[in-house]
Amino acid sequence: MNSLLGASARCVRSGTAAAVFRSGPARLLCAAADLHKDLGDMVKKDKVVVFMKGTPAQPMCGFSNAVVQILRMHGVDGYAAYNVLEDQDLRQGVKDFSNWPTIPQVYFNGEFVGGCDILLQMHQNGDLADELQKLGIRSALLDADKESK
């Protein structure tokens, strides 16, 4: 057990699983550490990031579809979307990364916002437009409100 822990620690420090270790358990732990780092990079790469089932053009579950529709109503179309159905490691990894058990997951500027329920609540109470403004994204609903008055 101590050799496994030591191997895992070296792997995390080195960031290179395959070059350092040959054993199965250590490689799995290293892969998890690499995935965690990769996820950290992924959520920071774009202002808005969504981990979802399916794609924005073809959501594969109702909750993912709701997130896409909410973002669409606000005029947010330039966001990164990752289909967790294509990669089971990504699907579990993002849940571990955020410590949130469900998909979809939404991130703003690298910070975890929540899932469908949180985004819907933010949309309903007006917080979403405010948060988008902080990202430099003007909600299309603000313009629609002006036009209707």
Side-chain angles (χ1 to χ4, degrees):
M1 185 64 162
N2 284 340
S3 63
L4 178 60
L5 292 175
S8 299
R10 285 193 302 275
C11 177
V12 170
R13 283 193 300 270
S14 71
T16 56
V20 179
F21 302 105
R22 305 275 182 223
S23 64
R27 184 175 305 135
L28 290 175
L29 289 173
C30 293
D34 288 345
L35 180 59
H36 190 82
K37 180 189 177 306
D38 291 345
L39 285 166
D41 292 343
M42 291 165 75
V43 300
K44 292 175 185 166
K45 186 177 177 187
D46 293 275
K47 290 180 181 181
V48 179
V49 176
V50 179
F51 293 92
M52 62 184 290
K53 293 178 182 176
T55 65
Q58 190 173 12
M60 300 298 286
C61 85
F63 298 112
S64 292
N65 185 47
V67 166
V68 169
Q69 294 304 319
I70 291 167
L71 292 174
R72 190 171 290 150
M73 281 191 292
H74 285 269
V76 181
D77 53 9
Y79 60 92
Y82 297 95
N83 182 358
V84 300
L85 296 178
E86 292 179 349
D87 184 342
Q88 290 303 311
D89 291 335
L90 177 62
R91 185 177 187 171
Q92 185 57 48
V94 73
K95 292 176 184 181
D96 296 340
F97 179 78
S98 64
N99 197 27
W100 189 262
T102 59
I103 302 293
Q105 294 188 9
V106 180
Y107 290 79
F108 290 167
N109 271 351
E111 296 293 322
F112 178 60
V113 175
C116 176
D117 54 342
I118 303 297
L119 202 67
L120 179 59
Q121 182 180 16
M122 291 174 69
H123 165 69
Q124 290 171 336
N125 67 22
D127 289 344
L128 184 54
D130 295 339
E131 290 301 316
L132 291 172
Q133 187 69 36
K134 292 177 187 175
L135 299 174
I137 300 171
R138 180 160 175 82
S139 171
L141 293 182
L142 295 176
D143 295 332
D145 286 346
K146 283 183 181 177
E147 291 174 10
S148 67
K149 292 182 179 177

